[in-house]
Amino acid sequence: MNQRIIPTDAGSDGEANRRPEQHDPVRVWFTKGISFWAALSTILVKAQPNSVLEFGGGRSTTFLADYVEDFGKVGITIEQSDVWHKKIKDDLKFMAVKNYAVHHVPVTATPMGPAWYDFAEVSRLIGDRTFDMVFVDGPVGEGRRNPHGQEIIAKAARKARLIIVDDVHRGPNLRFFSTLTHGFAREGTFFCCYRQNLIALAAAAEWIPVVRDTFQFLNLPYEHHFADAASMLEAR
């Protein structure tokens, strides 16, 4: 397996409410910290999802793409900012990643709810496919509340074995995570803190030991219940 360098300055990660183009993609973003990225990489290698779908590109995309490239899997990232899209594409070129798809899909006004990625373009890109892993970290701002957008994500995640939703300290994101993962066991739900944010993971039964053991080995604190995670966040 070839060893590629993952640029350390990649990653919008969508946690801020500002427009994505207001983030400077040449600044170094430490966001979730090296422990989380190490955990994500380990989980990918051990769980071996055959397909990955990400909404909202950033630093996470480099780790997803690195896995997809090394193991011959399928991966798609949808990113709303042309600035971030270019940054991610440049990073993947630097990493010699050739088989991971990153698409620039702007957000557009919708008849119902806040602006979301262009519906027709997202439908063209993912069609009726389902994905083993779905990572939701976009669009930034209010867009994740769009009901039709949520339906599109839920359809793509209907057979997912691992679902990750960032910024679940915000009520709408937490509710959407709960909707996406209603069929997952409680012991398969993991809430992790970084800075003043919460990210949530839900693993199918066969992947629970992989996630649990990875977090414990890396000494990455987690909680199975949101209330406990919120208390952990307040104590930081």
Side-chain angles (χ1 to χ4, degrees):
M1 182 168 64
N2 295 329
Q3 184 69 33
R4 278 184 296 279
I5 299 172
I6 296 180
T8 58
D9 62 347
S12 60
D13 292 302
E15 74 276 271
N17 283 320
R18 294 178 294 172
R19 291 182 351 218
E21 56 269 26
Q22 291 178 291
H23 296 299
D24 180 2
V26 300
R27 296 189 333 180
V28 176
W29 282 72
F30 292 101
T31 55
K32 298 172 182 64
I34 191 62
S35 293
F36 181 84
W37 299 122
L40 177 62
S41 294
T42 303
I43 291 166
L44 288 167
V45 171
K46 288 183 175 293
Q48 292 274 310
N50 288 316
S51 54
V52 174
L53 175 63
E54 179 185 40
F55 290 91
R59 191 175 188 185
S60 54
T61 312
T62 59
F63 291 90
L64 298 175
D66 189 60
Y67 161 74
V68 166
E69 184 78 7
D70 277 346
F71 290 90
K73 307 300 184 180
V74 175
I76 298 174
T77 287
I78 292 171
E79 169 55 41
Q80 72 189 84
S81 166
D82 59 343
V83 176
W84 276 111
H85 175 259
K86 182 179 185 303
K87 169 59 178 167
I88 295 166
K89 294 283 282 187
D90 287 346
D91 285 346
L92 298 191
K93 181 178 180 181
F94 175 76
M95 294 166 57
V97 170
K98 299 178 180 179
N99 298 303
Y100 189 91
V102 182
H103 299 280
H104 174 225
V105 183
V107 296
T108 60
T110 66
M112 293 181 59
W116 201 73
Y117 304 106
D118 182 85
F119 292 144
E121 183 63 8
V122 172
S123 296
R124 184 187 72 81
L125 291 171
I126 66 176
D128 194 43
R129 282 185 288 174
T130 61
F131 294 81
D132 288 345
M133 175 184 173
V134 176
F135 194 134
V136 183
D137 195 13
V140 299
E142 303 296 312
R144 286 195 239 175
R145 303 184 186 189
N146 185 284
H148 186 51
Q150 291 184 349
E151 289 175 3
I152 291 174
I153 295 174
K155 183 179 179 182
R158 65 188 183 276
K159 295 182 180 179
R161 315 309 289 158
L162 180 67
I163 295 174
I164 303 176
V165 177
D166 201 2
D167 305 315
V168 294
H169 54 286
R170 298 178 185 143
N173 296 339
L174 176 63
R175 288 190 290 274
F176 183 46
F177 174 74
S178 298
T179 298
L180 284 178
T181 62
H182 69 277
F184 288 71
R186 173 62 62 186
E187 60 268 26
T189 300
F190 301 82
F191 293 95
C192 302
C193 299
Y194 68 96
R195 294 191 175 181
Q196 295 303 308
N197 297 43
L198 284 175
I199 187 167
L201 299 82
E206 68 272 22
W207 289 2
I208 291 174
V210 170
V211 178
R212 182 193 61 232
D213 294 350
T214 298
F215 282 175
Q216 291 177 355
F217 178 77
L218 293 170
N219 198 28
L220 189 64
Y222 66 86
E223 296 288 350
H224 289 301
H225 297 272
F226 172 77
D228 295 332
S231 298
M232 182 168 62
L233 186 65
E234 291 175 0
R236 290 169 68 90

